[in-house]
Amino acid sequence: MRAYLVTMLLAGVAASQAHAKLVTFDYTAVVNKATRRGASTGYATIDVPSISIEGKEIAVGDTQRGSFTIDLDTPTEDWRPGNTTIEYMGSLNNIGSVSVDRSGFSFASEGSFYQSGFSVSNQPRGDSFSFLGTTYSDGTSGHGSESMQIRLGDTNGDLLATDMPPSSLNFAAAESSEILYGWYYPQNGGESLDTFGTLTSLAVRPPSPVPEPASYAMLAAGLLTVGAAARAKARRKG
C-alpha cells in the first residue's frame, strides 16, 4: 500500500510539472485584398475580387475567423544575432487556423520545427508581434504549401510588455493588425494566391497545460505498479 501511494504521488507530481505552457488567441478579420500570380497572369501579380482554393472561395469583403496558439516554453531560435526581433521557433504546438463561413473554406497549419512559430520585438520606438503557421502537402493540386501570418505593431510601446513570449496582446494599442493567407503550388503553373485582411477582434484564452510524454510515462508506471500490487495481494490470499 505504501509503495502504491508513493508511486501515485510521483506520477501526480510528474504530470503537474511536465507540460507545455500554451496560450491561444481567437480572432476575426475582414479581407480587403486578394492577389493572383502565375502562368495565367504572365507571372505578374494582379489584384482579383476573389481566389478559389480546392473549390472553396475567399473574396474581398469576407469575414475570416480562426485562432493561433503559441508555446510559451518554445526554444528561441535567434538566427539573426544582434537583431532586435527575437524568433521563437522549435515547438510543434505553434499552430493556427483560418476559415470563411460563407464558402466553407478552412485552413489549419501544422506545427513545424522550422516553419511555424512567432517573433516579438519590444523596443522604445514601438513593438511588433508576428505569428507564422505553415503546412506542406501533396494535395489534389500537387505538392505545395499554405501559410497564414498574423502581424500586429505599434509605435508607442504598449503592445508588448517584454520581448518574452506574450501571454496576452494589447489589441487596443495595435496601430496595425493584419492577417495574410497564402497558397502556392509550383506544379500548378507556379500558381500563387494570396489574401490580405485587417483584424477586427482579438481575444486570448486562458493558458492550458498540455501533458508531455514524460507525464504519461510516469502515470503508466504508477498504474502498472498498482496492478502488480493487486495481483500479488490476490496470490497471497489464494
Side-chain angles (χ1 to χ4, degrees):
M1 183 64 177
R2 183 178 298 172
Y4 158 73
L5 291 175
V6 170
T7 303
M8 291 306 291
L9 178 61
L10 290 175
V13 170
S16 65
Q17 292 181 344
H19 63 271
K21 295 178 182 177
L22 309 182
V23 61
T24 297
F25 297 86
D26 296 308
Y27 70 86
T28 58
V30 60
V31 179
N32 48 43
K33 183 178 180 180
T35 64
R36 186 186 194 102
R37 184 181 186 278
S40 62
T41 68
Y43 296 101
T45 301
I46 63 171
D47 290 352
V48 292
S50 66
I51 62 174
S52 180
I53 312 296
E54 306 288 358
K56 301 295 178 64
E57 187 182 47
I58 311 176
V60 173
D62 274 347
T63 295
Q64 295 174 309
R65 67 183 73 250
S67 66
F68 59 94
T69 298
I70 62 175
D71 188 339
L72 301 186
D73 290 335
T74 301
T76 303
E77 291 289 324
D78 194 0
W79 50 271
R80 296 177 293 183
N83 196 289
T84 57
T85 300
I86 300 178
E87 305 284 335
Y88 290 93
M89 311 290 283
S91 172
L92 300 182
N93 294 316
N94 293 322
I95 55 175
S97 67
V98 183
S99 68
V100 176
D101 293 342
R102 178 189 60 79
S103 64
F105 169 84
S106 65
F107 161 73
S109 72
E110 295 176 351
S112 167
F113 192 86
Y114 295 107
Q115 298 298 331
S116 293
F118 59 97
S119 65
V120 298
S121 178
N122 178 246
Q123 298 294 315
R125 65 177 181 272
D127 301 337
S128 66
F129 171 86
S130 179
F131 170 85
L132 173 67
T134 300
T135 293
Y136 292 97
S137 64
D138 288 298
T140 57
S141 298
H143 177 72
S145 67
E146 293 178 70
S147 64
M148 63 170 288
Q149 189 167 9
I150 301 283
R151 298 174 181 169
L152 297 100
D154 71 3
T155 57
N156 53 29
D158 292 334
L159 179 66
L160 299 170
T162 68
D163 57 8
M164 298 298 290
S167 58
S168 64
L169 289 166
N170 186 359
F171 182 60
E175 297 171 25
S176 63
S177 58
E178 60 181 352
I179 176 173
L180 292 75
Y181 165 77
W183 182 95
Y184 176 66
Y185 281 76
Q187 292 100 326
N188 200 34
E191 192 84 284
S192 178
L193 306 173
D194 298 277
T195 63
F196 306 82
T198 301
L199 296 185
T200 53
S201 71
L202 181 67
V204 63
R205 299 180 195 170
S208 58
V210 176
E212 292 180 345
S215 302
Y216 293 112
M218 285 297 294
L219 182 58
L223 293 175
L224 288 173
T225 301
V226 173
R231 287 192 296 271
K233 185 176 181 179
R235 284 196 296 270
R236 286 195 298 271
K237 286 184 176 181

